[in-house]
Amino acid sequence: MDEILGEFIAETLETLETLSSEVVAWEADPTDQSRLDAFFRFFHTVKGSCGFLNLPRFERLAHGAEEALAAVRRGERSADPATVSAVLAVMDRIGALARDLGGDETIPESDDDALLDALLASTSRPETFEPAPETCDDILMPETADTRGYHAEAPEEAGPAHSKSGGRAPRTIRLPLALIDQLMSGISDMVLARNDLARRLRERPIEPELEGSFERLSANVADLRDMISKTRMQRVDRLYAALPRMVRDLSQELGKKATLDLDGGEVEMDREMIEMVLDPLTHIVRNALDHGIETPAERRAAGKPEVGALQIIARQSGNQIVIEVQDDGRGIDRAALVAKAITAKLLTPAEAAQISDTETLNLIFRAGLSTAARVTSISGRGVGMDVVRTNIEQIGGIITIASVPGRGTTITLRVPLTLTIIPGLIVRSDTHFFAIPRNNVVELLHQTSAMVSIEEVGGARIATIRGKRHAFIDLEEVLKLGRAKSVDGPRILMVIRSPAGQPYVLGVQAVESNEELVIRPAPPAVTAAGVFAGMTLPDNGQPMLLLDAAGLAHVAQLPLREAEASQRPAASVAETVAEPTMQALMFRERDGTHRLVPLAVVDRVEDITANEIALCGTAAFVRIEDRLVPALNAQPVDDGSLKSLRLNAGEEQLCYLIADVIDILDVPQAVDAAVAGGRLAGLVMVGETQIEMLDPFALFAEAHAQNAIARAGEPIRCLIPDEDDAWMRNILAPLLIQAGHEVQFGPVGEQDTAHVILRTDVDAAETGDDAGTIPVITLREDAVPTATARETVYRYDRAQIFAAIAQATRRVA
Amino acid sequence: MTESLFLFASIADVPIAVRASEVEAVVRLGDIVPIPLVQAHVRGLAALRSRVLTVIDMEARIFGKGGLDGSASLAIVADIAAHSYGFLVDSVSDICLAPEEAQPVHGRIDPVWAPYASGIVEREGRSHLLVTLSDFAVPPGNGTLAA
């Protein structure tokens, strides 16, 4: 009898779970006869079983609901919300009573009357109480093939949109979970026994026949293990089962309208994983309804349909399950979020001004934050998304959020397919073995690899892999194991990604193997260490601990994700880049060394020919668009083609002359080794080399200083051969003198100390290019150069004249 | 007076009694894999068929240090809060019936034992301190054992 009762309870609860979503669908479409039939059959079955099992309370409740549904069936009443609510209340009570049958808590029977009254009150026509004759006929024989079939297939079709498929559903049986767990551990024992046997066989001389049988056994065991593993999988439908009902109840309570669209219910997930995801998902859906979806009035005002749309999509992506919860509500109010964060002292106003949009949205996952203007019974107590994130990350998942104001919010959960069997790497440190989830490992490298360089800066070790810098920790150091000196060989570096922080590099002595590991939770005494996520028994039979990537980073005190925002204020404000890394231009100096300059200050890169460079005393200029821009590195002006980096600081510009541009790279904002003084800010690790980073501040300061001393430098002696030319004498000479040059008059040859000769194109035509070693600047009268006048300067172009003078003197020096 | 089953063992030459309902088995463990970064009384992990036991050195737990040498391998196996543990003891003498109700501890007990001993169980005229295995499984400073 107990067995039958137990089965009754299990069946009733399971059917209830399936039906709760159907009720909502039925309310949406009261004409759907097949759904009505399903409920009817449920109450009918309960009523019948109760008679058989002598459970009068169940019978009375089921009868009441059945009556009401029969009336709807006959068209005597409609499936209005009141009726649906009353029917749901009765279903809940039956569920509660069924659960109580197992325990000893009791619900006072008088409460049932209130439910039944509600069922009656919502009935508009009292005559529906009359027992419907056709439903009473088979009360004593309910366990017909029909109802049995229904229950057996129930778990297979939990989706609300699913129509009944009669008896063609795959045959299923109900098994206690404990039995499956026992099967699982039995098969694990078998695998261990097989491994032990394999070891012993290896120690013996080879016997082909024995080996053959062993191989067969081995393959069978592996198959069996796979099959048993599959029994752990369940459809995501189970995750969905309770949602339609919840959405319905909540939206009624909140006075909102929302449709729920569930997709991907056929995706399979580990049973335990479903349990772990259920609460976070429920919370996210509640939030979406409470905060996301607006009231019908607000939605109308915003030009949206009155009914909000909530969509949940599950899909498998590799060995992950992706669950997306989308709403088309108002989106997340960033300003309110930031204001809350500042009030809660999670953020200073200065930090708030700098954080990115993603970081702003991620604030929602910080403890003690809720954007709900008021605390409702549904959500907004400030405990919520932080717990959701913690729960998801605990099972190795990732939660991300995207939100468009006014358009809605999408929250994406990515969780591993299964909690208990994960692919893992087994790493060794001397005699200790540890497992690490393969998901966390981005790549493996030999320490000796050419792509890797390791350096120590101020106690922190940094591994640079293909130009990316990572914090570097040794497993032995974090675990305080003490590195065995005798085994100091080349080590293996693992780039580790953890959900709670930036990637880092973990050094281990060796990576032994790659296995599918059955993970069990570790006891509190072990998890207290903070670096272990669980334990496992790999095929060698040696128990092993599973490393927790985030925990290792935490114990090693590596910066966590939360630190991103707090690091930012330390970054130089002068640099216009807001990210922790910035782009830098790598170039080749004219002496061949490679250097970096922050890309943000580089306005453009220009090809410069030598004659565009003007030297003026110790100062140098580059002529750009008839303007002289202070130039650094101008000397010597001998090679034909140069490049100029035009550095821009708002009003000021300067040209930094280089041999060539090499590449644009991401480099950290803070240099690795700061150098005080000079043009350099410090050293930055790029790939395997350290490269000097220019300090734009120093460059501009230098250019400024140069400008000031340009006049104080040694004057350029300009020779004007034709002292009788009035323009030369009266117009040009004063200008040159004003600019700090010396002017001499007289024929060429007598004034060998002159730096440059200035003459008109008329002189040039007469004397030809026989000025000897002294450079000559020929000035022409026409603004546009004529074909005959090569390399002439228009005489009213003051800047060009000065540039030409400066340039010409350079050639001599 | 009702009687129930107790397991009688000894730790650091102190006779103890454990309610048999707590005990799953007494086994001799194979290799114990040490665990870094945990408290000294968490000796390591041991495999028992396909299960992984967390091995707790009861003596180290009680006295805060020292404990059994590495060769100790006799363990009481128990499942506590869904985790399997092996509690190392010096020796196990018997499993037998004793009066259900533990006697109060008379006289001044060594303070290190105080958090663990909940009473005295008599067997063959000898007193045994009654201990609860789950007290040894929770990390010190947690729960009821705020010592």
Side-chain angles (χ1 to χ4, degrees), chain B residues 43 49 61-62 82-84 94 110 115 118 138 144:
Chain B
R43 188 54 85 77
R49 294 193 303 280
R61 172 68 192 257
I62 292 165
H83 298 293
S84 297
D94 202 359
D110 188 335
S118 53
V138 291
T144 53

Side-chain angles (χ1 to χ4, degrees), chain A residues 523-719:
Chain A
V526 174
T527 49
V531 293
F532 304 117
M535 43 195 203
T536 181
L537 195 61
D539 288 351
N540 66 10
Q542 278 265 39
M544 201 176 283
L545 285 157
L546 182 73
L547 293 171
D548 173 8
L552 283 174
H554 184 72
V555 168
Q557 298 179 333
L558 298 182
L560 292 177
R561 177 174 47 202
E562 257 77 34
E564 281 170 29
S566 55
Q567 278 175 351
R568 177 136 321 121
S572 162
V573 182
E575 286 163 3
T576 52
V577 189
E579 293 300 315
T581 63
M582 63 176 182
Q583 287 194 307
L585 182 81
M586 182 155 71
F587 61 90
R588 195 165 65 244
E589 291 271 17
R590 296 179 63 189
D591 62 6
T593 47
H594 290 193
R595 288 212 171 115
L596 292 166
V597 63
L599 188 65
V601 299
V602 179
D603 204 31
R604 61 181 69 173
V605 179
E606 288 152 317
D607 286 315
I608 298 286
T609 53
N611 57 13
E612 285 169 307
I613 300 170
L615 287 183
C616 181
T618 54
F621 297 88
V622 170
R623 199 173 70 233
I624 295 169
E625 296 148 10
D626 291 341
R627 238 158 30 87
L628 286 178
V629 178
L632 296 177
N633 270 11
Q635 315 200 12
V637 198
D638 47 8
D639 21 10
S641 74
L642 282 174
K643 282 196 167 60
S644 152
L645 298 178
R646 181 120 58 106
L647 308 184
N648 197 342
E651 294 292 300
E652 296 172 76
Q653 287 192 330
L654 72 84
C655 288
Y656 190 88
L657 299 183
I658 59 167
D660 206 356
V661 167
I662 298 172
D663 200 1
I664 292 174
L665 321 158
D666 274 325
V667 299
Q669 274 194 345
V671 292
D672 292 324
V675 181
R679 286 178 178 179
L680 301 178
L683 287 175
V684 174
M685 289 304 303
V686 175
E688 289 157 48
T689 50
Q690 56 277 27
I691 298 189
E692 291 163 334
M693 168 74 86
L694 289 177
D695 180 2
F697 178 86
L699 296 181
F700 276 99
E702 191 182 330
H704 257 270
Q706 225 174 47
N707 255 355
I709 51 172
R711 290 167 200 278
E714 194 199 347
I716 295 172
R717 286 186 292 279
C718 304
L719 176 66

